[in-house]
Amino acid sequence: MSKDFKIKLDAKGQDFFTGVLPNVERAMKRGINQGLHQAGFNLVKTAKDGIQRGPKTGRVYTRKGRKKRASAPGEYAGIVTGDYLAAMSFEVHGASEMEFGNQDFKATYLELGTRNKDGGVRMAPRPALTLSVEVRQKDTLEVLRTAGIREVEKLGK
């Protein structure tokens, strides 16, 4: 026994194409915006956790009678100030762009490293921002796909 169904595309008495469909675009943009906010929050949290609690494998030195372990090149920075951590943030611009970074002037030196006058490496990079993107890449892609972005394949470079 078969039944015939009549399907009408409407929502609360509105025609689908004139009343509902225009709101879908706005809802998609809102979802993408919320996805970018969640991704930015995760990236900042990962960077801060890596700096504060991440493993350090650099050299051991004594400072004020206490032994400290520095970070090795390519790891999260070893000892940083509260200003450096507080300046780490993100901004979302609509549904198309997110900026993730650190407004502290020392962050550039830690992220990219420094060079001598002759071009040699003085301090190797401690890329907290890059490492957090690599660690959170799978989670971030999942959040963005859930929000409606289907074409994202790789973050960063």
Side-chain angles (χ1 to χ4, degrees):
M1 180 175 186
S2 67
K3 293 183 179 180
D4 294 331
F5 293 96
K6 182 177 181 184
I7 299 172
K8 185 176 180 187
L9 298 174
D10 66 354
K12 297 182 182 176
Q14 295 178 341
D15 180 56
F16 182 74
F17 294 103
T18 58
V20 176
L21 196 58
N23 295 331
V24 171
E25 182 179 348
R26 188 171 58 222
M28 285 177 61
K29 286 181 181 179
R30 187 172 51 243
I32 292 168
N33 184 288
Q34 290 171 351
L36 290 172
H37 271 90
Q38 184 63 42
F41 176 78
N42 289 343
L43 289 170
V44 168
K45 184 177 184 325
T46 301
K48 287 181 179 181
D49 286 348
I51 291 167
Q52 293 174 326
R53 296 177 194 88
K56 310 294 186 253
T57 60
R59 67 179 182 88
V60 177
Y61 63 94
T62 304
R63 185 176 191 174
K64 296 183 181 179
R66 300 178 123 192
K67 288 189 176 186
K68 305 275 185 176
R69 184 172 291 275
S71 62
E75 291 182 346
Y76 290 104
I79 298 173
V80 294
T81 64
D83 291 339
Y84 175 77
L85 293 173
M88 196 168 293
S89 64
F90 69 95
E91 288 183 16
V92 176
H93 304 284
S96 62
E97 186 177 294
M98 179 185 68
E99 293 180 21
F100 164 61
N102 197 322
Q103 282 76 35
D104 190 357
F105 73 95
K106 297 175 220 162
T108 304
Y109 301 121
L110 285 171
E111 191 74 23
L112 303 176
T114 58
R115 302 226 175 252
N116 292 331
K117 291 180 182 178
D118 62 357
V121 176
R122 184 172 182 182
M123 181 191 77
R126 270 64 172 179
L129 304 176
T130 307
L131 288 173
S132 64
V133 168
E134 290 173 4
V135 168
R136 284 291 188 170
Q137 185 161 343
K138 186 176 179 182
D139 297 351
T140 303
L141 291 175
E142 187 61 34
V143 166
L144 294 176
R145 284 191 184 113
T146 302
I149 300 174
R150 300 287 181 231
E151 299 298 320
V152 176
E153 291 181 8
K154 186 174 181 184
L155 298 173
K157 295 179 181 180

